[in-house]
Amino acid sequence: NAGVTQTPKFQVLKTGQSMTLQCAQDMNHNSMYWYRQDPGMGLRLIYYSASEGTTDKGEVPNGYNVSRLNKREFSLRLESAAPSQTSVYFCASSEGGQPNSPLHFGNGTRLTVT
Amino acid sequence: GNSVTQMEGPVTLSEEAFLTINCTYTATGYPSLFWYVQYPGEGLQLLLKATKADDKGSNKGFEATYRKETTSFHLEKGSVQVSDSAVYFCALRYSGNTPLVFGKGTRLSVIA
């Protein structure tokens, strides 16, 4: 059982380049999330999808777009990367429906923008 | 809005010492509360949770009690091991379709 799988694990971009971070879960979860983790800032929510077909902005959505491709997959796109987007990105999923249903995290994508 | 405040780290302890990591929250109503742990190079893993006042979550020797009167959910362990070295995150959530709100994390280092 793979859980939440993120690709790639590492990426280096130049300012202005674009890329898509991929995330897939095999737990039949309804909800999916993208967070970024920066030193001293904890985890900040970028976007989330409460269910297939819906997406909502989180705390720091500027510079990002998302697509909930199907129930399994939730991608994050950087259209024009900036150095401020250097971070570790985590995808997560949860069953949804109950407030005590935990999030399951992938192992992260470490992105550097030069 | 809803928020979570954790004690600042890093915290450095000797093996077998007692651990407390403080967590308080600001929220209306009764959120579910969580502790997550992140080992080096990995994603976050659920450590324990509690869903109502006076509930105690426990796992791997760690415990935390949901205290509504003090809006706290402090993490404790009676005897830490080197393998407990990680970053610990406190978090809250109101409904099943809303995201978790995380604290900033507390780094724990346990030395032999």
Side-chain angles (χ1 to χ4, degrees):
Chain A
N1 191 341
V4 178
T5 302
Q6 292 184 236
T7 55
K9 288 185 168 52
F10 301 94
Q11 184 72 48
V12 179
L13 293 177
K14 295 187 175 167
T15 297
Q17 287 185 317
S18 63
M19 78 162 295
T20 300
L21 281 65
Q22 306 287 352
C23 175
Q25 51 90 10
D26 62 3
M27 296 172 281
N28 201 35
H29 284 168
N30 291 310
S31 303
M32 297 185 74
Y33 310 84
W34 277 105
Y35 288 89
R36 60 178 287 174
Q37 184 178 28
D38 302 293
M41 302 293 289
L43 273 80
R44 292 182 293 171
L45 182 68
I46 304 170
Y47 271 95
Y48 69 104
S49 172
S51 60
E52 188 179 354
T54 68
T55 60
D56 286 285
K57 294 179 180 179
E59 181 185 356
V60 288
N62 290 347
Y64 305 95
N65 285 300
V66 290
S67 295
R68 183 74 183 266
L69 304 170
N70 47 55
K71 192 172 186 180
R72 289 187 64 246
E73 297 172 287
F74 188 40
S75 63
L76 178 72
R77 183 159 177 84
L78 287 70
E79 290 291 352
S80 178
S84 61
Q85 294 178 305
T86 294
S87 187
V88 182
Y89 291 85
F90 287 100
C91 178
S93 69
S94 72
E95 284 185 18
Q98 295 295 329
N100 63 355
S101 60
L103 267 60
H104 299 257
F105 283 83
N107 283 335
T109 295
R110 187 175 295 275
L111 175 67
T112 301
V113 183
T114 60
Chain B
N2 304 325
S3 65
V4 175
T5 302
Q6 291 181 236
M7 63 185 286
E8 300 226 355
V11 174
T12 302
L13 295 173
S14 297
E15 210 166 21
E16 299 184 2
F18 184 86
L19 168 70
T20 300
I21 300 178
N22 289 339
C23 171
T24 57
Y25 66 91
T26 301
T28 55
Y30 305 98
S32 292
L33 301 174
F34 303 82
W35 277 101
Y36 280 80
V37 59
Q38 183 181 31
Y39 299 105
E42 297 184 9
L44 279 71
Q45 304 173 24
L46 178 67
L47 183 59
L48 53 85
K49 66 181 181 181
T51 57
K52 61 182 187 297
D54 301 324
D55 266 2
K56 178 184 282 188
S58 61
N59 186 26
K60 300 181 181 179
F62 291 88
E63 293 183 338
T65 302
Y66 190 144
R67 299 286 188 201
K68 178 176 174 294
E69 63 277 10
T70 54
T71 61
S72 65
F73 192 55
H74 304 322
L75 182 68
E76 297 181 335
K77 187 174 185 183
S79 176
V80 294
Q81 305 300 313
V82 172
S83 58
D84 293 327
S85 298
V87 181
Y88 293 82
F89 292 90
C90 186
L92 68 78
R93 187 182 204 186
Y94 266 108
S95 74
N97 293 328
T98 59
L100 263 68
V101 175
F102 286 92
K104 292 186 177 180
T106 303
R107 183 177 298 278
L108 170 67
S109 296
V110 181
I111 54 178

